[in-house]
Amino acid sequence: LGLDKLDFAVLCSLALAVLAYFSKSKIQELLSSDDAIKVNSDSRDVVQVLRENNKNYLVLYGSQTGTAEDYAKKFGKEMAAKFSLNVMCADVENYDLENLNDLPSNVIVSLFISTYGEGDFPDGAIPFEDFLTARESGDLSNVKYTLFGLGNSTYEFFNGAAKRVEKYMNEAGATRVGPFGEADDGAGTTDEDFLTWKDSVMEELKDQLGLDEHEQVFEPSFEYKQISQGVSNEISLGEPTAQYMPNNKIEFSPEGKQVGPFDATHPYVAPITATRELFSSGDRNCIHAEFDLSGSNIKYTTGDHLAIWPSNPDEKIAKFLECFDLDADTVFSLVPRDSTVKLPFPVPTTIGAAVRHYLEITGPVSRQFIASLVQFAPKEDLKVELTELSRDRDFFAKEVTVKYLDLADALLHISHGAKWGSVPWNFLVESVPRLQPRYYSISSSSLTEKQVVHVTAVVENFPNPSLDDHQPVTGVTTNLLRNLQLAQNKEDIQKTTLPVHFSLEGPRGLFKGYKLPVHVRRSTFRLPSNTNTPVIMIGPGTGVAPFRGFVRERVKLLEKQPNTTLGKHLLFYGSRNTSDFLYQEEWPDYSKKLGDSFEMIVAHSRLENKSKVYVQDKLIERKDEIYDLVKNKGAFIYVCGDAKGMAQSVHAAFVKILSEGSEISTDDATAILKAMKPGGRYQEDVW
Ligand code: FAD
């Protein structure tokens, strides 16, 4: 052809450029937004989308912290795996339900609704509540539904949102199939409540829909693609959202700060400007951390919550990868099989990044998960063992739950250390829940620290009684904060003293210089606007966090407006002894500045040679004064901290104080406290 050397070189480079272009565009084609709430279909009409995608079962959830979503997805997956149904699983937030009554007659809708705060719907499900309340009798007469509520019986309005769904659906003429399920996180039985409900509802559904049950067969919702090319800018290395990927430049303000809006779907990577250990006592630690939100446009108000997006510790990641015989460097992508399925996190990514940043690999393992693994058991005897564990609640509790095993621990325990490489990675991606942000009551005041948010977190470690060396059962976020605090303060602590270790640099160094992704969640925990109103705060342990914020708020107010008059502010605080007394050095200063309007009453439950005293005991000690403040002076009551024991004991103390003071029955006193809640006179921030 008579090509000279130059022509040949030009042709070669052209060919290379075309190749590079195509492999890049192929990756870009695979690279999709991680926006888990984005609806790909143009339509928001749930019935239209269901029909367009040939779905024959509908699961809808309203979730605040991800638990209802997790159970809804588990349920949907099992319906698909056992009955070969084409299930559409969606957040109520993302669809219009106006035409719900036009669902095809053979389609049943399963509702999973969590309750938040004072019997409220999750934030994203408020339009769903509005939709339901606007229905008139008969409006939903064609709808058949199942209902599972996720709640906590230590709260007064246990499963309040789900109960209201039941009421509204009923009034609108819809027909419930199977029992109304209620999970109780307060009793720690969510998983078992779900399993009991699910078994009975599935029997009912089998009858009503004429379903044939077969052994579970995993029905992938995504087309899984392994990518042979190495890591490039298009591959997520664990960025919290696609906006943080190198090629998706996020906007920066003139001061070089990221521009939002930042919210629960797009966190701000906040610099942590200071951390300190508030106490270290035996195996207990508590960390104070300060997150700088300046330039982010995020606003917070005293009493709000900060959500921290964690990542998993090295040890747990290594065990998970080993258990499933996974290669951390493998690059993969997921392509939704239809428009009703949302990507769980930014892809393409590596297996290592997904396990570190996106999957909840620690924490208790559920019996249902074990059941879904039967199909992948590497050997017959393990299949039998898994089947037995998944069917026998007591056997499962004895072998897994009381040993505090997470998924990898449990499987390696069952197989005596043999790997589970037969479990497909795409099954794990679709079945292991997404790593969730953890919430913290903000312990600063927006009046004092406008742009800086303080949190007070007790490190969650407790010795595992089933292990010979009692190695601790560890919490993810709080151990991450502790690692960060030690590194930031360059403390000379031998690495071996920490039960788990974390990579603090983040994907592509995004968290370098001590940063973590966060978002702020609004709460209703607010001081009364009238400063003369007396305030009674009860917050033992880290429950004191928002009250530190409240007190700092009042101190600042007096500094700015010295003529302000303050009602009585009583803070009931409790700790085990004096060594775990939080912010011990700060309170005298606040007292000095607030004068007679502030008093801190402290209860210690583990002082040597002294009997145990709790905050509720201190309330009773001061019963006459408390009664007067509540009954005659309109005091606002705030309770923060442990939902199980403390909040109930404190409530009981108030019932006693009111019933004795007014000489009324405890039922009447309870009713008075209940009536105080809607007006914000009895507020709880408990967990
Ligand atoms: P996680 O990883 O979530 O683990 C939770 C617990 O499970 C830990 O105790 C862990 O040890 C245990 N665990 C781990 N593996 C297993 C297993 N296999 N079996 C059984 N158990 C296991 N906390 C504060 O300290 N301060 C606050 O101000 C505060 N405010 C809050 C406000 C709100 C509105 C809410 C909802 C919660 C608040 N919390 C607060 C609690 C906080 O959100 C976290 O739940 C807590 O810090 C634990 O998070 P973690 O990631 O460290 O533990």
Side-chain angles (χ1 to χ4, degrees):
L1 283 169
L3 287 177
D4 65 14
K5 273 187 185 164
L6 185 68
D7 290 339
F8 186 71
V10 170
L11 268 178
C12 281
S13 46
L14 257 175
L16 280 175
V18 169
L19 246 177
Y21 173 81
F22 277 113
S23 56
K24 190 174 172 201
S25 64
K26 196 164 175 214
I27 291 178
Q28 266 165 351
E29 178 192 303
L30 293 173
L31 175 72
S32 323
S33 157
D34 64 304
D35 188 350
I37 62 155
K38 194 174 146 201
V39 178
N40 296 329
S41 163
D42 288 342
S43 173
R44 277 183 57 93
D45 182 319
V46 76
V47 177
Q48 188 185 341
V49 175
L50 179 123
R51 285 183 193 275
E52 278 172 6
N53 289 282
N54 295 321
K55 301 287 181 181
N56 53 13
Y57 199 90
L58 180 60
V59 177
L60 291 175
Y61 59 84
S63 195
Q64 186 70 38
T65 58
T67 313
E69 174 177 356
D70 183 29
Y71 280 98
K73 286 184 172 165
K74 278 181 190 169
F75 181 80
K77 282 254 157 243
E78 193 169 329
M79 291 296 285
K82 274 188 172 161
F83 307 113
S84 305
L85 282 166
N86 223 346
V87 180
M88 171 172 168
C89 185
D91 189 335
V92 283
E93 184 175 13
N94 294 333
Y95 289 93
D96 282 339
L97 304 178
E98 287 300 320
N99 297 325
L100 196 64
N101 205 35
D102 299 334
L103 272 177
S105 59
N106 61 340
V107 174
I108 290 181
V109 51
S110 284
L111 301 167
F112 290 78
I113 301 294
S114 67
T115 295
Y116 174 59
E118 300 293 320
D120 300 327
F121 278 65
D123 295 342
I126 289 168
F128 175 53
E129 183 184 16
D130 295 341
F131 160 79
L132 288 177
T133 48
R135 294 311 94 189
E136 293 188 353
S137 169
D139 276 1
L140 297 178
S141 55
N142 295 332
V143 175
K144 286 186 183 166
Y145 69 100
T146 76
L147 179 58
F148 190 70
L150 293 110
N152 185 322
S153 63
T154 57
Y155 288 80
E156 185 174 345
F157 302 98
F158 174 48
N159 267 315
K163 281 175 182 151
R164 295 220 295 285
V165 170
E166 171 63 3
K167 176 173 169 276
Y168 301 142
M169 292 294 276
N170 203 329
E171 285 167 3
T175 310
R176 178 159 47 75
V177 175
F180 168 22
E182 288 186 81
D184 184 3
D185 195 35
T189 55
T190 298
D191 216 55
E192 288 305 331
D193 296 333
F194 169 70
L195 291 177
T196 310
W197 169 82
K198 181 207 73 175
D199 287 346
S200 109
V201 117
M202 279 189 181
E203 282 307 311
E204 196 72 38
L205 289 170
K206 269 196 301 192
D207 276 357
Q208 296 235 355
L209 296 172
L211 302 171
D212 286 330
E213 183 169 348
H214 49 70
E215 258 196 33
Q216 288 203 43
V217 182
F218 170 52
E219 296 281 349
S221 304
F222 301 96
E223 197 183 325
Y224 175 76
K225 299 195 174 182
Q226 202 161 308
I227 299 172
S228 51
Q229 193 171 317
V231 168
S232 62
N233 278 352
E234 287 83 17
I235 312 289
S236 158
L237 294 184
E239 280 82 357
T241 57
Q243 288 94 323
Y244 284 104
M245 300 282 293
N247 289 353
N248 288 5
K249 281 261 170 287
I250 42 168
E251 259 188 85
F252 285 90
S253 69
E255 303 83 43
K257 301 278 182 171
Q258 312 152 47
V259 175
F262 298 102
D263 55 28
T265 61
H266 180 37
Y268 175 62
V269 177
I272 298 165
T273 45
T275 45
R276 64 179 198 273
E277 189 171 65
L278 291 175
F279 74 78
S280 171
S281 154
D283 54 358
R284 295 173 70 230
N285 311 76
C286 188
I287 307 295
H288 169 91
E290 303 186 0
F291 295 77
D292 183 0
L293 305 181
S294 54
S296 69
N297 264 335
I298 302 178
K299 305 261 181 297
Y300 85 98
T301 306
T302 312
D304 281 344
H305 301 134
L306 187 75
I308 301 180
W309 294 43
S311 53
N312 285 308
D314 298 339
E315 292 82 350
K316 302 283 181 185
I317 296 165
K319 195 167 210 180
F320 190 89
L321 294 172
E322 186 209 320
C323 173
F324 296 106
D325 206 10
L326 295 166
D327 169 22
D329 296 328
T330 301
V331 180
F332 70 97
S333 195
L334 303 169
V335 180
R337 286 188 180 268
D338 61 61
S339 70
T340 66
V341 183
K342 311 292 167 282
L343 283 168
F345 45 73
V347 288
T349 186
T350 67
I351 291 184
V355 175
R356 183 178 295 279
H357 294 283
Y358 301 139
L359 300 183
E360 194 84 65
I361 59 170
T362 66
V365 53
S366 75
R367 217 150 50 86
Q368 194 203 17
F369 200 101
I370 295 292
S372 69
L373 283 169
V374 171
Q375 58 187 311
F376 303 119
K379 289 207 243 136
E380 196 51 39
D381 58 332
L382 292 176
K383 190 172 186 166
V384 173
E385 177 94 0
L386 287 182
T387 309
E388 214 178 313
L389 278 168
S390 66
R391 288 195 182 144
D392 186 336
R393 176 185 171 147
D394 297 334
F395 183 44
F396 181 81
K398 185 166 144 259
E399 281 304 305
V400 179
T401 315
V402 300
K403 293 187 168 136
Y404 299 101
L405 304 179
D406 59 34
L407 179 60
D409 290 333
L411 292 182
L412 291 171
H413 170 68
I414 294 165
S415 66
H416 306 288
K419 294 185 180 191
W420 291 73
S422 52
V423 180
W425 165 241
N426 65 325
F427 165 81
L428 292 170
V429 165
E430 293 194 29
S431 310
V432 176
R434 168 110 201 225
L435 186 57
Q436 293 294 332
R438 310 309 202 250
Y439 290 96
Y440 294 89
S441 303
I442 292 175
S443 58
S444 48
S445 144
S446 52
L447 206 60
T448 320
E449 295 88 12
K450 248 191 168 44
Q451 298 295 331
V452 179
V453 163
H454 298 178
V455 298
T456 313
V458 71
V459 181
E460 299 262 350
N461 289 327
F462 60 90
N464 188 335
S466 73
L467 298 179
D468 291 339
D469 57 2
H470 286 203
Q471 271 296 307
V473 183
T474 55
V476 176
T477 321
T478 49
N479 278 285
L480 168 63
L481 286 174
R482 182 163 177 232
N483 270 241
L484 203 143
Q485 179 266 320
L486 291 172
Q488 187 168 41
N489 297 304
K490 309 209 170 13
E491 295 203 14
D492 185 20
I493 296 234
Q494 296 217 327
K495 272 195 142 196
T496 47
T497 61
L498 293 169
V500 281
H501 301 84
F502 294 80
S503 160
L504 299 178
E505 302 226 323
R508 295 186 175 88
L510 190 63
F511 309 157
K512 226 173 174 167
Y514 310 109
K515 293 179 187 163
L516 282 178
V518 298
H519 72 265
V520 166
R521 184 168 76 185
R522 301 251 155 257
S523 96
T524 50
F525 212 62
R526 296 282 186 263
L527 275 168
S529 46
N530 181 348
T531 58
N532 281 310
T533 306
V535 169
I536 303 169
M537 301 168 273
I538 301 104
T542 47
V544 81
F547 303 135
R548 177 178 179 265
F550 280 10
V551 171
R552 286 168 86 80
E553 177 110 347
R554 291 306 196 215
V555 168
K556 188 71 183 176
L557 187 71
L558 274 194
E559 271 172 27
K560 285 171 98 174
Q561 298 164 20
N563 294 333
T564 309
T565 53
L566 286 183
K568 191 82 187 164
H569 284 58
L570 296 179
L571 171 56
F572 289 83
Y573 173 68
S575 65
R576 289 186 183 179
N577 47 46
T578 47
S579 59
D580 60 353
F581 193 145
L582 296 177
Y583 301 108
Q584 201 164 161
E585 69 295 347
E586 294 185 10
W587 301 110
D589 187 44
Y590 302 144
S591 267
K592 211 163 110 195
K593 289 180 171 152
L594 293 175
D596 288 347
S597 59
F598 176 62
E599 188 182 350
M600 186 166 185
I601 300 110
V602 181
H604 290 306
S605 59
R606 294 199 197 170
L607 276 186
E608 232 174 280
N609 302 325
K610 295 256 167 78
S611 52
K612 296 180 178 205
V613 183
Y614 296 101
V615 278
Q616 58 270 24
D617 303 323
K618 289 286 177 189
L619 282 169
I620 298 291
E621 265 178 33
R622 305 276 292 250
K623 62 179 183 186
D624 294 341
E625 183 184 358
I626 302 272
Y627 176 76
D628 180 49
L629 289 173
V630 175
K631 183 76 195 348
N632 306 320
K633 308 219 165 75
F636 273 47
I637 299 167
Y638 299 86
V639 187
C640 180
D642 168 41
K644 290 190 188 101
M646 184 276 296
Q648 290 183 342
S649 305
V650 165
H651 187 266
F654 277 109
V655 169
K656 185 174 162 67
I657 291 168
L658 285 187
S659 66
E660 287 181 6
S662 294
E663 295 180 2
I664 53 176
S665 69
T666 53
D667 283 351
D668 288 346
T670 306
I672 291 175
L673 288 174
K674 188 173 177 179
M676 285 169 68
K677 289 191 174 182
R681 282 199 54 205
Y682 193 102
Q683 300 186 33
E684 288 180 311
D685 181 20
V686 293
W687 61 83

